[in-house]
């Protein structure tokens, strides 16, 4: 042996040096030639490092992570590197020494050690350079040491064999002791270097990981830990031991945070064109339907903003990295079939499992074990590459979602009011939830667009090598499938657009219902709106059903396609030539390739469908991101003035002196609020200029309150200054309220302001503006919601000449006449123009419109006016309509709906409660099966069983076919075999009807669960809506319903398919190689443990992610409703940071969940790889007794079991996590419910109430069980037809009494009887439909153009004659929704509803507090004439409206203080007298 090696070293490049098959392959004791060992095996690691070193050094130079101090680990790596360098040079010097003593030394003994030594020096340099650049663990170096140790292991074995051989042959002197010693030391050092490379160094100095209290361990994990995802094991163990909490989650990696990701997307100018005109309108100004845009075939290309280009530029590099991993994985996919493939020619012998089986005398035994080991190694590498690919894709998808949510949020803060009209709140929320999610889902499989054709081409190539031209028959089948999939994709897109439109309409209506739920209950409209929502839902389900049928056709094509390809190929092969033998090698190698072919053919339609959905979402996003933005140049900042500004206003020219108090007055719709909007830059300027000097504070007419503490609402992001804060609170009359609130100013203001009255909210809004300490204050009727004496206090202490704002420029929109004399300047507006301008005295002297207005609507006695001029608080006004002009852009009024968000603290408390339920109960699955229908569920399972049994039968029949004896180079009965094989396959295709059955079952379950949830929500009491965040409710009807509609049925299909595939594979393997039964139980236990270990943490992570998702949407809702306030205060950046923080908080839970999936997949695929290896190993061991057909069938199934296992666990975990949606939907069935809407055996007369007599006996109620009584011990007797006013300070219990009358809150004590009937004994709808209320805060808005005409009819015509004609028309209008209607028109709308119902009892809850005097007079006269014979209960802030009432009920601190006629109460000089005096009435 040594002599042979010596001769070879003389001619190192001779071909025989590398190809001595008798020595390396065709022997029972293989070995490589010394030439090969000293050249190729030495050069491979060297070439690897020199090839990657330049790129790696460049990468480290551009990605400097900091500096790592010298550690023991780094010192050890460096010392070993130098030691290896010295060993290599020792070999070189020894070779020179030998040569100097006359020994014939081949040049390779000098070249190879020298090359290896220089490489070790480079490795040592890289170790130090990595330390200086902050690399804690290096994959490049780990791979280098791994390659070096693998190559050295071959030489290590060869040297041991050579030494043993020389000793046995009594030639011990021929062993070179020095080189053997240096090599063993070299091998030991390599082994130590490999171990050290698996360890991670300490973090760099000043890195984020050092500063962070709970950093993500990924950045500091070793390379080996990262590729196996071992670094998440600590979190998984924690989740297995106890329920995970929010504090257990790591901080998000810096590169994944919104502040890093979002700017990368929005910086691209191609994303949207900020200053372009809105594309969402037609030429006539009408908004374009979104469906028209989505179905458009062609788009304008010139200057068109491209979201696609922006996404490509931002996330393209990540896509390329994932593509690299995918290419490597796709190539490795074909290693398994190639290892099985047998090809033997005269020039090259290649052995396989089948070769080992068919030619046992030729093939050495070790070949089978070699192939088994090679197969196991390749599948493990394939697993690591695939999971790394998925990790990159999911992280990229997560970043993509973050970027889209951030871009939509930022855009929503700057779009114009005209653009806002084209997108409802529900649609914009869908952009952030549904559409962003679809992009994230698509990223995972987008590479299949090019990977699937590549896999198909490679599979067909290897099939050609195996079966020849007959594979063209299979190609023809695949080509025929292309147009079918194309048609399906086109139809899917159409259905997708229709489904999204229905979904948007449903969510929009549900937003209206949830925000106006109090009105629905007061008017007993729950069933009407339930039918309305259900009608939209039915149209949505019809589209889903069509999609299901289309999906069934698609499923049939991709289930049948691989089989039809195999059938056509085998048929052509055996029928083309009778001498073509379908043996086990050809059949099962081809079958393995067909199984590979099945995946891309299955995935391609799904990817196309996902791309279609994503294209729809992209167009929706592009439409929104292309909306016109507010022009910052609308308002200049040097001084406050409006010079010839043309907006919704006309010829406005006014200059306001610095520090002046300016009052803006005018009738409804005169343009007062529009003027303030123009000063804020909220309206599109057509011509002229608007300038404001200094910072601006804005108080809207409807208070916008955040779901935060009362103090935080006032501070509004400013630093706390205690002395100034106390002055502001006192000036805004909030001190008495702070004493009442349980936590003072730290009281959390709940969802929809449940713990604040309307007046308290308005005063908090005023306090927020004052605290900001700005130069200019724009006040849009801030006092309309407060009592007269409170309004007087606020004006004197805040707005007036002696208030906190003295010396500041104040623009006050008001109808309060008592405040006007103290104004420095009064602007009188009529139809969008300033008709008069001057001081109070000047305007009175002109005897113009202003003077006429005062004479008509002020109090009748001039002395009272003069008294009010002296500072008495008077009447207050409401928010007014802006002027809508056809040729000019309209302003956007503040939306009436208010969706507030729960604070993170509230959600964290909710998260901490999740631990009480860490498993999904089987009852949830049972409920879902019942929702589908038990017979249908059982039938579906039976069809799945039959489907997979036919698949297994066809493959088993193929194995029997391949075992048929060959007689005269032909197989008998091949036509029969082919016919049965085809019949079994077509039966498998026919059974794809299970997908239709499951889809229809899913739709039935969706209908039932949605209807049940809708009914249960509408049946819930008001307390439920007050304590439940609206974001949670919207999330149930949007995200969770979408999950039940689309996700769960799809997951069930894949779960059932994977389960039967795993069971079938294990059965085949056990039948073929019973020895596997020894291995399957422990592997099964390992599989079960890993799966349970994973699910325990995965489900908790899913719930943490779900809980933290709602604050993102609720905060977005809150922002949309307060954009004008946010922009006015210049707080856009703070709110953007808040939104980014909430998104990052949500991603903190999502990121570990995707890593946990990868952790699971690596371990489960390892279990699957073990099954493959043991199946192959036992097949080799039993090759003498096993038929080739059964062995081929066993191994082909074993090759697929990894994929099946992976999908089974993934689908089982996905099913468990997504079935939570059913649990969340069903949980509303267990919540508290209101009393029955209608009693079964009601004895209530048809005309009840006939007189309207109300008797209240010792009545009291509380808002929650743990609270004190809000009102108590109230006993009142009101005769039919009486007009009773209810007055009192804000929070005295006025509205609470009406809530008790309508049983919105049930009585805690006493009772209320109407016409002698105890209302507690009635059905809620029986009660509420017989009483009418005009509520304090109207919702369910209707466009003002319609109501302007209706108002004229209602006010000037006989209602009794008009009622029949307009009832249907009004009913239609009542169900319309709009956000461009002011508070005034809402009040008139509810008055019209009251007129149409004409019940014997009418309740007015501050119905005229928000209208001007002229309209108030008109409303009051209408009530007096049209409700003359009715009992009227009026809660009033304006005491003049109830001075002619029969009696007045005065409430104080929840109890009855006074009850008598106005004249008697005035004479008593009690509480009512003081209130009347404050209002200038006495």
């Amino acid at each position: 042996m040594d002599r042979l090696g010596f001769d070879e070293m003389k001619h190192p490049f001779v071909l025989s040096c590398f190809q001595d098959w008798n020595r390396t392959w065709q022997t029972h004791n293989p070995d490589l030639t010394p030439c090969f060992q000293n050249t190729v095996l030495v050069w491979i690691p060297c070439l690897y490092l020199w090839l990657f070193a330049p790129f790696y050094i460049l990468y480290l130079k551009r990605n400097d992570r900091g500096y790592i101090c010298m550690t023991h680990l780094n010192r050890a790596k460096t010392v070993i590197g130098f030691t290896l360098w010295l060993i290599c040079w020792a070999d070189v010097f020894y070779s020179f020494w030998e040569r100097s003593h006359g020994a014939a030394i081949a040049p390779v003994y000098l070249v190879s050690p020298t090359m290896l030594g220089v490489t070790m020096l480079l490795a040592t340099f890289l170790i130090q350079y990595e330390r200086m650049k902050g690399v804690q663990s290096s994959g490049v170096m780990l791979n280098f040491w791994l390659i070096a140790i693998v190559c050295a292991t071959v030489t290590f074995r060869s040297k041991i064999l050579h030494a043993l051989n020389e000793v046995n042959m009594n030639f011990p002197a021929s062993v070179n002791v020095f080189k053997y010693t240096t090599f063993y030391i070299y091998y030991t050092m390599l082994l130590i270097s490999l171990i050290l490379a698996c360890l991670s160094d300490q973090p760099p100095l000043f890195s984020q990981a050092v500063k962070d209290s709970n950093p993500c361990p990924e950045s500091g994990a070793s390379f080996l830990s990262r590729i196996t995802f071992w670094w998440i094991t600590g979190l998984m163990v924690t989740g297995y031991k106890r329920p995970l909490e929010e504090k257990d989650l790591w901080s998000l990696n810096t590169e994944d945070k919104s502040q890093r990701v979002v700017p990368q997307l929005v910086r691209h100018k191609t994303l949207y064109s900020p200053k372009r005109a809105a594309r969402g309108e037609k030429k006539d100004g009408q908004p374009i339907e979104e469906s028209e845009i989505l179905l458009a075939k062609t788009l304008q290309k010139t200057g068109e903003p491209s979201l696609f280009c922006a996404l490509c530029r931002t996330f393209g590099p990540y896509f390329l990295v994932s593509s690299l991993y995918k290419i490597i994985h796709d190539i490795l996919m074909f290693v398994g079939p190639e290892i099985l493939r047998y090809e033997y020619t005269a020039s090259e012998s290649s052995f396989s499992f089948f070769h080992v089986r068919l030619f046992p005398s030729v093939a050495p035994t070790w070949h089978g074990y070699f192939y088994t080991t090679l197969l196991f190694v390749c599948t493990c590498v394939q697993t690591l590459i695939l999971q790394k690919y998925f990790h990159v894709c999911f992280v990229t998808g997560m970043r993509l979602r973050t970027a889209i949510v951030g871009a939509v949020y930022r855009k929503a803060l700057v779009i114009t009011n005209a653009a806002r009209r084209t997108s409802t709140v529900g649609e914009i929320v869908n952009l952030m939830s549904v559409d962003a999610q679809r992009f994230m889902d698509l990223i995972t499989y987008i590479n299949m667009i090019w990977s699937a054709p590549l896999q198909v081409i490679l599979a067909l190539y290897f099939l050609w090598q195996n079966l020849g031209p007959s594979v063209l028959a299979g190609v023809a089948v695949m080509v025929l499938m292309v147009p079918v999939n194309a048609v399906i994709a086109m139809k899917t897109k159409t259905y997708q657009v229709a489904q999204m439109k229905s979904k948007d309409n449903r969510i929009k209506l549900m937003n209206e219902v949830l925000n106006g739920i109090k009105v629905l209950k007061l008017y007993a409209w729950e069933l009407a709106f339930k039918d309305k929502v259900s009608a939209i839902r039915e149209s949505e389900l019809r589209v889903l059903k069509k999609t299901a049928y289309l999906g069934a056709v698609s499923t049939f094509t991709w289930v049948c396609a691989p089989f039809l390809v195999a059938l056509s190929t085998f048929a052509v092969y055996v029928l083309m030539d009778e001498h073509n033998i379908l043996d086990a090698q050809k059949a099962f190698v081809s079958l393995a390739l067909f199984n590979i072919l099945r995946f891309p053919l299955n995935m391609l339609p799904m990817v196309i469908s996902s791309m279609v959905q994503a294209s729809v979402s992209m167009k929706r996003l592009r439409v929104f991101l292309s909306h016109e933005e507010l022009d910052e140049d609308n308002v200049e900042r040097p001084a406050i003035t409006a010079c010839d500004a043309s907006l919704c206003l006309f010829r406005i020219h006014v200059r306001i002196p610095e520090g002046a108090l300016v009052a803006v007055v005018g009738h409804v719709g005169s343009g007062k609020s529009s003027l303030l909007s123009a000063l804020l830059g909220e309206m599109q300027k057509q011509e002229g200029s608007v300038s404001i000097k200094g910072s601006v504070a804005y108080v809207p007419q409807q208070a916008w309150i955040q779901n935060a503490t009362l103090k935080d609402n006032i501070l509004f992001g400013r630093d706390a200054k205690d002395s100034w804060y106390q002055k502001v609170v006192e000036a805004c009359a909030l001190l008495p309220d702070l004493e009442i609130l349980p936590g003072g100013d730290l009281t959390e203001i709940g969802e929809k302001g449940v713990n604040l009255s309307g007046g308290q909210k308005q005063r908090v809004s005023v306090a927020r503006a004052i605290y900001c300490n700005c130069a200019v204050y724009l006040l849009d009727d801030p006092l309309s919601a407060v009592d007269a004496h409170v309004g007087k206090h606020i004006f004197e202490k805040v707005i007036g000449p002696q208030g906190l704002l003295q010396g500041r420029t104040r623009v006050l929109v008001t109808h309060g006449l008592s405040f006007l004399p103290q104004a420095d300047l009064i602007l009188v507006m009529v139809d969008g123009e300033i008709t008069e301008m001057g001081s109070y005295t000047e305007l009175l002297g002109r005897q113009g419109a202003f003077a006429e207005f005062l004479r008509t609507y002020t109090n009748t006695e001039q002395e009272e006016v003069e008294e009010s001029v002296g500072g008495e608080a008077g009447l207050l006004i409401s928010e007014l309509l802006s002027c809508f002009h056809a040729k000019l852009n309209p302003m956007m009024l503040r939306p009436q709906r208010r969706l507030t968000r729960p604070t993170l603290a509230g959600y964290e408390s909710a998260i901490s409660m999740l631990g009480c339920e860490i498993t999904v109960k089987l009852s949830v699955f049972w409920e879902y099966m019942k929702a589908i229908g038990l017979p249908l569920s059982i039938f579906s399972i039976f069809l799945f069983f039959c489907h997979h049994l036919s698949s297994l039968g066809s493959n088993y029949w193929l194995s029997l076919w391949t075992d048929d004896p060959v007689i005269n180079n032909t197989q008998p009965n091949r036509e029969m075999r082919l016919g049965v094989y085809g019949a079994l396959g077509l039966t498998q295709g026919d059974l794809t009807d299970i997908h239709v059955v499951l889809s229809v079952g899913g739709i039935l379950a969706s209908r039932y669960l949605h209807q049940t949830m809708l009914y249960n929500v509408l049946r819930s009491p008001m307390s439920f809506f007050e304590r439940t965040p609206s974001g949670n409710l919207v999330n149930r009807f949007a995200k969770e319903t979408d999950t039940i509609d689309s996700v769960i049925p799809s997951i069930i299909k894949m779960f059932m398919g994977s389960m039967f595939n795993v069971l079938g594979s294990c059965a085949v393997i056990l039948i073929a190689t019973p020895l596997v039964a020894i291995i399957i139980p422990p592997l099964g236990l390992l599989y079960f443990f890993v799966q349970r270990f994973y699910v325990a943490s995965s489900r908790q992570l899913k719930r943490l992610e779900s809980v933290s998702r709602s604050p993102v949407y609720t905060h977005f809702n809150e922002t949309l409703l307060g954009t004008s306030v946010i922009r006015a205060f210049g707080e856009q950046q703070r709110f953007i940071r808040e939104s980014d923080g909430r998104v990052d908080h949500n991603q903190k839970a999502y990121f570990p969940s995707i890593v946990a999936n990868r952790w699971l997949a690596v371990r489960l695929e390892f279990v699957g790889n073990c099954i493959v290896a043991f199946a192959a190993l036992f097949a080799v061991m039993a090759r003498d007794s096993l038929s080739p057909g059964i062995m081929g069938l066993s191994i082909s199934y074993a090759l697929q079991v990894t994929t099946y296992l992976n999908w089974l666990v993934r689908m089982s975990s996905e099913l468990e996590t997504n079935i939570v949606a059913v649990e969340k939907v069903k949980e509303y069935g267990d919540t508290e419910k209101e009393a029955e809407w209608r009693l079964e055996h009601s004895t209530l007369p048809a005309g009840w109430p006939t007189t309207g007599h109300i008797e209240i006996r010792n009545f009291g109620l509380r808002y929650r069980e743990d609270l004190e009584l809000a009102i108590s011990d109230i006993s009142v007797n009101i005769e039919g037809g009486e007009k009773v006013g209810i007055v009192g300070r804000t929070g005295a219990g006025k509205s609470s009494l009406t809530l008790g009358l309508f049983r919105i809150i049930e009585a805690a004590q006493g009772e209320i009887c109407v016409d002698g009937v105890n209302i507690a004994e009635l059905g809620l709808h029986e009660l509420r439909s017989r009483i009418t209320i005009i509520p304090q805060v109207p919702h369910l808005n209707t466009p003002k153009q319609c109501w302007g005409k209706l108002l004229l009819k209602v006010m000037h015509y006989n209602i009794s004659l008009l009622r029949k004609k307009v009832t249907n028309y009004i009913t239609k209008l009542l169900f319309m929704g709009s956000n461009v209607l002011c508070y005034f028109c809402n009040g008139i709308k509810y008055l019209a509803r009251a007129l149409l119902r004409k019940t014997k009892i009418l309740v007015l809850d501050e119905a005229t507090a928000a209208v001007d005097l002229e309209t108030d007079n008109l409303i009051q006269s209408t009530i007096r004439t049209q409700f003359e014979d009715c009992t009227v209960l009026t809660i009033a802030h304006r005491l003049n409206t109830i001075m002619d009432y029969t009696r007045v009920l005065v409430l104080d601190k929840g109890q009855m203080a006074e009850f008598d006629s106005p004249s008697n109460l005035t004479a008593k000089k009690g509480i009512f007298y003081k209130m009347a005096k404050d209002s200038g009435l006495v």
Side-chain angles (χ1 to χ4, degrees), residues 238-245 911-921 1092 1094-1101 1103 1216-1217 1220 1223:
T238 303
Y240 185 73
K241 290 180 178 179
R242 62 169 176 83
L244 290 176
E245 301 175 9
I911 289 172
S912 65
M913 296 172 62
L914 291 176
C916 64
E917 184 183 0
I918 61 171
T919 59
V920 177
K921 298 177 182 178
R1092 286 290 95 192
Y1094 159 78
V1095 168
S1097 299
S1098 173
R1099 188 187 305 109
Q1100 296 165 46
L1101 289 171
R1103 295 193 184 197
E1216 286 199 45
T1217 50
V1220 173
E1223 184 182 18

Side-chain angles (χ1 to χ4, degrees), residues 405-481:
V405 170
V408 170
Y409 187 89
R410 284 157 173 78
K411 185 70 178 183
L413 282 175
V414 296
I415 62 174
T416 63
N417 304 318
R420 175 65 59 82
R421 289 189 298 127
T422 64
S423 300
T424 65
V425 174
E427 289 171 348
I428 301 174
V429 171
N430 272 346
L431 293 178
M432 298 182 71
S433 56
V434 178
D435 295 304
Q437 184 68 38
R438 281 182 177 154
F439 270 103
M440 190 165 66
D441 295 339
L442 176 65
I443 285 294
T444 311
Y445 302 107
I446 187 65
N447 280 295
M448 288 303 297
I449 288 297
W450 60 264
S451 176
L454 174 64
Q455 292 179 31
V456 170
I457 291 171
L458 289 175
L460 292 176
Y461 168 77
F462 289 115
L463 282 169
W464 183 286
Q465 297 294 318
N466 202 38
L467 297 175
S470 57
V471 76
L472 293 177
V475 175
V477 172
M478 285 189 291
V479 170
L480 291 175
M481 292 295 177

Side-chain angles (χ1 to χ4, degrees), residues 59-126:
Y59 169 79
L60 293 177
K61 188 176 181 180
R62 293 186 176 181
N63 295 271
D64 194 344
R65 303 175 187 175
Y67 181 87
I68 299 178
C69 295
M70 184 68 77
T71 61
H72 294 302
L73 177 63
N74 197 270
R75 289 191 184 97
K77 290 179 179 179
T78 306
V79 169
I80 291 175
F82 275 114
T83 303
L84 288 169
W85 175 69
L86 291 174
I87 290 172
C88 293
W89 280 107
D91 277 347
V92 174
F93 291 143
Y94 183 78
S95 296
F96 274 114
W97 181 82
E98 283 187 316
R99 195 167 188 173
S100 65
H101 285 72
I105 301 299
V108 71
Y109 284 114
L110 299 174
V111 175
S112 291
T114 303
M115 185 176 179
L116 193 60
V118 175
T119 303
M120 292 303 168
L121 200 59
L122 174 62
T124 308
F125 165 76
L126 287 176

Side-chain angles (χ1 to χ4, degrees), residues 640 655-662 809 825:
I640 182 164
R655 185 177 298 276
I656 299 173
E658 188 172 348
L661 171 58
V662 179
T809 304
L825 180 66

Side-chain angles (χ1 to χ4, degrees), residues 1069-1085:
I1069 295 171
L1070 283 171
I1071 292 172
T1073 52
L1075 283 175
V1076 177
I1078 303 172
I1079 302 300
I1080 283 186
L1083 288 180
L1085 288 175

